[in-house]
Amino acid sequence: MDNQTICVGGAVAVFAKCPIAGSSKTRLAPLLGPEGAAQLAKAMLSDILVSLSQCVLLNDTLKVLMYAPGTQSGESQMMSILDSLDISYNKIEKEPSVKNKKSDQITKTSDDEERGYLSFDTDGWVLLPMQKASKSDLTSSSLGSKLEDALERIRKLLADMVGKSSNVNNNNRNEAVLFLGMDSPEIPMEEIVYGLMQSNDHPSNEKLSKNCNASEGKTFHGKAHMCPANDGGYGLLSVPKHAPSAGIFSLVRWSDPLTAVSQLKALTDSGVGV
């Protein structure tokens, strides 16, 4: 692939539970023990974080780590993992005292008070806590609402990102959002790049890459892209800007052999091609 012909951008959001003995990979605990199962979960998450950070095709892509539990303890554990991997990160909060790991204090932008977000370094990961819907932070009963909430928040971050990086073109920026599970370290980076490009909504009179072939003056609507898993779920889902956050996760059968199928139906019922 010729890197010069590809404009990727968009956002990758890794959904991750903190590796905690007794609650991580519990089905493997009888074989590995609680500590061993937690170490495996940490290793899988670390592999994903490192691979995404080192992929040059994703240099312009916003990288978000959505963590659960969305508590101070959960945040501290994820920061510790990123520190151990020497990966820079940002905490996005409403208080102006938040600092980036490798930069000076973050300052507010003019409309931060309306959005509740701060300016951030686009070169580092963004740490965001998952929506708290119940005592359990990543259960199947609340996963749809968490994905919907995450999609809306990440889209705000993408809008905030414009103009903060010299590598972002305001006219033809990619605003696709790709969700990735922490249990998917085997997914190739090429698949992630392909998903973001497939989900890119853009005006057809701007040539973003060699793959853009729509009539001049019209909008090229990207498609959702999914990587199904052997258990009936999926490990990757990329959605375009025009996909409605309120509809695409409705009626999905989580933790079910038909999770991927029902997700496809929810997307097509919302008018999103796949």
Side-chain angles (χ1 to χ4, degrees):
M1 259 192 296
D2 182 358
N3 296 0
Q4 298 302 317
T5 66
I6 297 176
C7 177
V8 182
V12 172
V14 176
F15 260 51
K17 292 190 292 186
C18 291
I20 301 173
S23 62
S24 297
K25 301 293 180 187
T26 53
R27 284 179 291 183
L28 294 176
L31 177 64
L32 303 176
E35 290 292 340
Q39 290 175 11
L40 174 62
K42 180 180 178 180
M44 295 175 74
L45 174 58
S46 297
D47 283 351
I48 291 175
L49 295 174
V50 170
S51 296
L52 290 169
S53 298
Q54 293 179 348
C55 181
V56 295
L57 294 177
L58 299 176
N59 283 348
D60 294 340
T61 300
L62 175 65
K63 303 174 187 68
V64 181
L65 178 56
M66 304 289 305
Y67 61 89
T71 61
Q72 183 64 48
S73 174
E75 178 186 77
S76 297
Q77 187 168 0
M78 288 305 185
M79 289 170 61
S80 177
I81 292 174
L82 290 167
D83 282 334
S84 70
L85 300 172
D86 196 29
I87 295 176
S88 62
Y89 55 84
N90 305 271
K91 292 162 52 181
I92 304 298
E93 297 178 358
K94 293 184 179 181
E95 298 299 326
S97 60
V98 179
K99 294 184 179 181
N100 176 271
K101 173 187 172 187
K102 296 181 178 180
S103 66
D104 295 331
Q105 180 171 319
I106 298 174
T107 57
K108 280 192 173 185
T109 56
S110 58
D111 57 348
D112 278 329
E113 293 186 35
E114 178 182 350
R115 278 202 308 270
Y117 289 107
L118 297 175
S119 171
F120 56 92
D121 175 11
T122 56
D123 293 331
W125 281 77
V126 172
L127 280 169
L128 283 182
M130 286 189 202
Q131 173 199 59
K132 295 181 183 178
S134 64
K135 292 182 179 180
S136 180
D137 263 318
L138 198 53
T139 60
S140 59
S141 60
S142 62
L143 185 54
S145 64
K146 292 181 186 302
L147 286 165
E148 178 182 331
D149 174 74
L151 180 57
E152 292 175 353
R153 293 160 69 191
I154 292 169
R155 282 174 170 171
K156 290 181 181 179
L157 287 176
L158 278 173
D160 195 44
M161 181 178 174
V162 177
K164 292 182 172 63
S165 172
S166 59
N167 295 326
V168 178
N169 185 314
N170 293 359
N171 294 324
N172 55 19
R173 65 186 182 275
N174 187 351
E175 296 186 59
V177 177
L178 184 145
F179 293 104
L180 187 66
M182 65 179 289
D183 294 339
S184 307
E186 76 282 1
I187 292 181
M189 290 299 104
E190 292 83 359
E191 190 74 28
I192 294 171
V193 170
Y194 177 80
L196 286 169
M197 293 179 66
Q198 281 289 100
S199 299
N200 184 11
D201 288 349
H202 59 268
S204 61
N205 58 352
E206 295 287 347
K207 281 197 172 182
L208 302 188
S209 73
K210 289 181 177 179
N211 297 323
C212 300
N213 295 310
S215 301
E216 185 175 352
K218 296 183 179 180
T219 298
F220 181 93
H221 277 170
K223 297 181 179 181
H225 179 68
M226 177 190 293
C227 289
N230 292 332
D231 62 359
Y234 59 87
L236 177 155
L237 176 66
S238 183
V239 297
K241 179 182 178 181
H242 73 273
S245 60
I248 60 174
F249 301 114
S250 299
L251 303 179
V252 175
R253 299 171 61 170
W254 303 109
S255 299
D256 186 276
L258 295 177
T259 295
V261 173
S262 59
Q263 178 66 86
L264 288 172
K265 184 178 186 304
L267 287 164
T268 55
D269 285 351
S270 298
V272 181
V274 183

